[in-house]
Amino acid sequence: MPQDVFHAIADPTRREIIDLLAGRSMPVNDVAEQFDMSRPAVSKHIKILHECELVVIRKEGRKRYCRADTQKLQEVIEWAYRYRKFWNEKLDALEAALAEGDTSSQT
């Protein structure tokens, strides 16, 4: 079952894995050594990241190398941007209303 990018980045361990693999490729065992959990648990996280295309896995001999493909995060950035614009407009309106309230209370 394909994973959703938002589901994948909701987990702090998976976000750490993305950070670790950003800009470099590492064998799965080396990634697992960076975490205080079992190798199978880390492999499960990597599998979820791979299913939603945040991690690319390539085989070289007997080793599996992982690297982050952060292009898929663009979907998250675009979604967050819509809400950033929404909240900026709301906060600007609140600021204007508060400023207006200060002016009317001084008269």
Side-chain angles (χ1 to χ4, degrees), residues 1-8 14 46-54 72 75:
M1 176 172 148
Q3 296 292 330
D4 179 78
V5 172
F6 294 93
H7 169 76
R14 290 192 285 268
I46 290 172
K47 180 181 178 186
I48 291 169
L49 292 169
H50 177 67
E51 287 174 354
C52 67
E53 301 172 351
L54 285 169
K72 188 74 172 176
E75 181 181 325

mmCIF file of all heavy atoms in Angstrom, residues 1-8 14 46-54 72 75:
data_model
loop_
_atom_site.group_PDB
_atom_site.id
_atom_site.type_symbol
_atom_site.label_atom_id
_atom_site.label_comp_id
_atom_site.label_asym_id
_atom_site.label_seq_id
_atom_site.Cartn_x
_atom_site.Cartn_y
_atom_site.Cartn_z
ATOM 1 N N MET A 1 0.841 -1.186 0.000
ATOM 2 C CA MET A 1 0.000 0.000 0.000
ATOM 3 C C MET A 1 0.880 1.242 0.000
ATOM 4 O O MET A 1 1.711 1.405 0.890
ATOM 5 C CB MET A 1 -0.880 -0.033 1.247
ATOM 6 C CG MET A 1 -1.731 1.166 1.431
ATOM 7 S SD MET A 1 -2.873 0.853 2.809
ATOM 8 C CE MET A 1 -3.012 2.487 3.436
ATOM 9 N N PRO A 2 0.740 2.120 -0.983
ATOM 10 C CA PRO A 2 1.565 3.326 -1.033
ATOM 11 C C PRO A 2 1.312 4.225 0.174
ATOM 12 O O PRO A 2 0.187 4.341 0.649
ATOM 13 C CB PRO A 2 1.122 4.018 -2.319
ATOM 14 C CG PRO A 2 0.350 3.011 -3.088
ATOM 15 C CD PRO A 2 -0.155 2.006 -2.117
ATOM 16 N N GLN A 3 2.373 4.817 0.657
ATOM 17 C CA GLN A 3 2.283 5.686 1.818
ATOM 18 C C GLN A 3 2.099 7.138 1.379
ATOM 19 O O GLN A 3 2.515 7.539 0.300
ATOM 20 C CB GLN A 3 3.546 5.557 2.675
ATOM 21 C CG GLN A 3 3.743 4.189 3.277
ATOM 22 C CD GLN A 3 2.713 3.860 4.334
ATOM 23 O OE1 GLN A 3 2.196 4.728 5.032
ATOM 24 N NE2 GLN A 3 2.394 2.595 4.449
ATOM 25 N N ASP A 4 1.519 7.902 2.233
ATOM 26 C CA ASP A 4 1.321 9.327 2.029
ATOM 27 C C ASP A 4 2.539 10.080 2.576
ATOM 28 O O ASP A 4 3.049 9.727 3.640
ATOM 29 C CB ASP A 4 0.037 9.722 2.774
ATOM 30 C CG ASP A 4 -0.269 11.186 2.673
ATOM 31 O OD1 ASP A 4 -0.772 11.607 1.626
ATOM 32 O OD2 ASP A 4 0.013 11.895 3.659
ATOM 33 N N VAL A 5 2.982 11.092 1.874
ATOM 34 C CA VAL A 5 4.151 11.870 2.314
ATOM 35 C C VAL A 5 3.917 12.454 3.708
ATOM 36 O O VAL A 5 4.807 12.447 4.553
ATOM 37 C CB VAL A 5 4.470 13.002 1.308
ATOM 38 C CG1 VAL A 5 5.544 13.921 1.842
ATOM 39 C CG2 VAL A 5 4.891 12.421 -0.020
ATOM 40 N N PHE A 6 2.713 12.928 3.958
ATOM 41 C CA PHE A 6 2.410 13.535 5.253
ATOM 42 C C PHE A 6 2.480 12.492 6.368
ATOM 43 O O PHE A 6 2.966 12.786 7.458
ATOM 44 C CB PHE A 6 1.037 14.203 5.216
ATOM 45 C CG PHE A 6 0.994 15.372 4.278
ATOM 46 C CD1 PHE A 6 0.588 15.210 2.965
ATOM 47 C CD2 PHE A 6 1.386 16.632 4.695
ATOM 48 C CE1 PHE A 6 0.564 16.273 2.089
ATOM 49 C CE2 PHE A 6 1.371 17.705 3.834
ATOM 50 C CZ PHE A 6 0.962 17.532 2.522
ATOM 51 N N HIS A 7 2.033 11.291 6.093
ATOM 52 C CA HIS A 7 2.149 10.204 7.066
ATOM 53 C C HIS A 7 3.623 9.902 7.325
ATOM 54 O O HIS A 7 4.032 9.694 8.478
ATOM 55 C CB HIS A 7 1.426 8.954 6.534
ATOM 56 C CG HIS A 7 1.708 7.716 7.324
ATOM 57 N ND1 HIS A 7 1.142 7.462 8.550
ATOM 58 C CD2 HIS A 7 2.520 6.666 7.067
ATOM 59 C CE1 HIS A 7 1.592 6.310 9.007
ATOM 60 N NE2 HIS A 7 2.425 5.798 8.126
ATOM 61 N N ALA A 8 4.397 9.877 6.288
ATOM 62 C CA ALA A 8 5.819 9.541 6.420
ATOM 63 C C ALA A 8 6.564 10.556 7.276
ATOM 64 O O ALA A 8 7.349 10.177 8.143
ATOM 65 C CB ALA A 8 6.465 9.436 5.042
ATOM 66 N N ARG A 14 11.506 9.096 11.132
ATOM 67 C CA ARG A 14 11.594 9.190 9.675
ATOM 68 C C ARG A 14 12.124 10.549 9.247
ATOM 69 O O ARG A 14 12.877 10.650 8.278
ATOM 70 C CB ARG A 14 10.240 8.864 9.044
ATOM 71 C CG ARG A 14 9.896 7.387 9.200
ATOM 72 C CD ARG A 14 8.734 6.967 8.361
ATOM 73 N NE ARG A 14 7.447 7.406 8.844
ATOM 74 C CZ ARG A 14 6.661 6.707 9.647
ATOM 75 N NH1 ARG A 14 7.037 5.512 10.069
ATOM 76 N NH2 ARG A 14 5.494 7.177 10.017
ATOM 77 N N ILE A 46 12.511 3.032 6.758
ATOM 78 C CA ILE A 46 13.065 3.267 5.422
ATOM 79 C C ILE A 46 12.090 2.777 4.354
ATOM 80 O O ILE A 46 11.903 3.429 3.325
ATOM 81 C CB ILE A 46 14.452 2.616 5.282
ATOM 82 C CG1 ILE A 46 15.464 3.374 6.148
ATOM 83 C CG2 ILE A 46 14.904 2.602 3.823
ATOM 84 C CD1 ILE A 46 16.819 2.716 6.254
ATOM 85 N N LYS A 47 11.448 1.650 4.612
ATOM 86 C CA LYS A 47 10.474 1.116 3.655
ATOM 87 C C LYS A 47 9.327 2.102 3.442
ATOM 88 O O LYS A 47 8.903 2.346 2.306
ATOM 89 C CB LYS A 47 9.928 -0.228 4.148
ATOM 90 C CG LYS A 47 8.914 -0.840 3.209
ATOM 91 C CD LYS A 47 8.376 -2.154 3.736
ATOM 92 C CE LYS A 47 7.328 -2.687 2.773
ATOM 93 N NZ LYS A 47 6.671 -3.861 3.295
ATOM 94 N N ILE A 48 8.822 2.676 4.512
ATOM 95 C CA ILE A 48 7.740 3.663 4.401
ATOM 96 C C ILE A 48 8.213 4.874 3.609
ATOM 97 O O ILE A 48 7.513 5.365 2.720
ATOM 98 C CB ILE A 48 7.221 4.067 5.800
ATOM 99 C CG1 ILE A 48 6.476 2.884 6.427
ATOM 100 C CG2 ILE A 48 6.329 5.305 5.726
ATOM 101 C CD1 ILE A 48 6.144 3.058 7.886
ATOM 102 N N LEU A 49 9.415 5.346 3.905
ATOM 103 C CA LEU A 49 9.961 6.492 3.174
ATOM 104 C C LEU A 49 10.155 6.154 1.698
ATOM 105 O O LEU A 49 9.922 6.996 0.827
ATOM 106 C CB LEU A 49 11.279 6.939 3.805
ATOM 107 C CG LEU A 49 11.174 7.559 5.197
ATOM 108 C CD1 LEU A 49 12.547 7.714 5.823
ATOM 109 C CD2 LEU A 49 10.439 8.892 5.139
ATOM 110 N N HIS A 50 10.562 4.936 1.418
ATOM 111 C CA HIS A 50 10.755 4.491 0.034
ATOM 112 C C HIS A 50 9.410 4.403 -0.702
ATOM 113 O O HIS A 50 9.301 4.824 -1.856
ATOM 114 C CB HIS A 50 11.462 3.138 0.020
ATOM 115 C CG HIS A 50 11.642 2.550 -1.339
ATOM 116 N ND1 HIS A 50 12.468 3.123 -2.282
ATOM 117 C CD2 HIS A 50 11.089 1.470 -1.919
ATOM 118 C CE1 HIS A 50 12.418 2.389 -3.389
ATOM 119 N NE2 HIS A 50 11.584 1.385 -3.192
ATOM 120 N N GLU A 51 8.391 3.893 -0.026
ATOM 121 C CA GLU A 51 7.077 3.753 -0.646
ATOM 122 C C GLU A 51 6.469 5.100 -1.041
ATOM 123 O O GLU A 51 5.732 5.169 -2.013
ATOM 124 C CB GLU A 51 6.123 3.012 0.289
ATOM 125 C CG GLU A 51 6.417 1.535 0.393
ATOM 126 C CD GLU A 51 5.562 0.829 1.425
ATOM 127 O OE1 GLU A 51 4.798 1.489 2.161
ATOM 128 O OE2 GLU A 51 5.673 -0.408 1.503
ATOM 129 N N CYS A 52 6.778 6.138 -0.291
ATOM 130 C CA CYS A 52 6.239 7.453 -0.654
ATOM 131 C C CYS A 52 7.272 8.286 -1.409
ATOM 132 O O CYS A 52 7.106 9.494 -1.562
ATOM 133 C CB CYS A 52 5.691 8.182 0.552
ATOM 134 S SG CYS A 52 6.920 8.661 1.735
ATOM 135 N N GLU A 53 8.328 7.630 -1.867
ATOM 136 C CA GLU A 53 9.341 8.215 -2.752
ATOM 137 C C GLU A 53 10.184 9.313 -2.111
ATOM 138 O O GLU A 53 10.728 10.171 -2.794
ATOM 139 C CB GLU A 53 8.686 8.721 -4.036
ATOM 140 C CG GLU A 53 7.962 7.626 -4.797
ATOM 141 C CD GLU A 53 7.152 8.158 -5.966
ATOM 142 O OE1 GLU A 53 7.004 9.382 -6.116
ATOM 143 O OE2 GLU A 53 6.648 7.321 -6.732
ATOM 144 N N LEU A 54 10.317 9.263 -0.785
ATOM 145 C CA LEU A 54 11.218 10.196 -0.104
ATOM 146 C C LEU A 54 12.625 9.628 0.023
ATOM 147 O O LEU A 54 13.570 10.365 0.267
ATOM 148 C CB LEU A 54 10.687 10.546 1.291
ATOM 149 C CG LEU A 54 9.511 11.512 1.302
ATOM 150 C CD1 LEU A 54 8.904 11.586 2.687
ATOM 151 C CD2 LEU A 54 9.938 12.887 0.827
ATOM 152 N N LYS A 72 10.105 15.189 -3.424
ATOM 153 C CA LYS A 72 8.731 14.841 -3.039
ATOM 154 C C LYS A 72 8.236 15.740 -1.903
ATOM 155 O O LYS A 72 7.038 15.918 -1.729
ATOM 156 C CB LYS A 72 8.685 13.369 -2.646
ATOM 157 C CG LYS A 72 7.324 12.826 -2.408
ATOM 158 C CD LYS A 72 6.555 12.615 -3.689
ATOM 159 C CE LYS A 72 5.261 11.870 -3.390
ATOM 160 N NZ LYS A 72 4.415 11.691 -4.512
ATOM 161 N N GLU A 75 5.601 18.812 -2.299
ATOM 162 C CA GLU A 75 4.162 18.677 -2.057
ATOM 163 C C GLU A 75 3.806 19.234 -0.672
ATOM 164 O O GLU A 75 2.807 19.933 -0.505
ATOM 165 C CB GLU A 75 3.809 17.190 -2.148
ATOM 166 C CG GLU A 75 2.382 16.834 -1.944
ATOM 167 C CD GLU A 75 2.167 15.322 -2.047
ATOM 168 O OE1 GLU A 75 2.852 14.649 -2.858
ATOM 169 O OE2 GLU A 75 1.302 14.826 -1.321
#
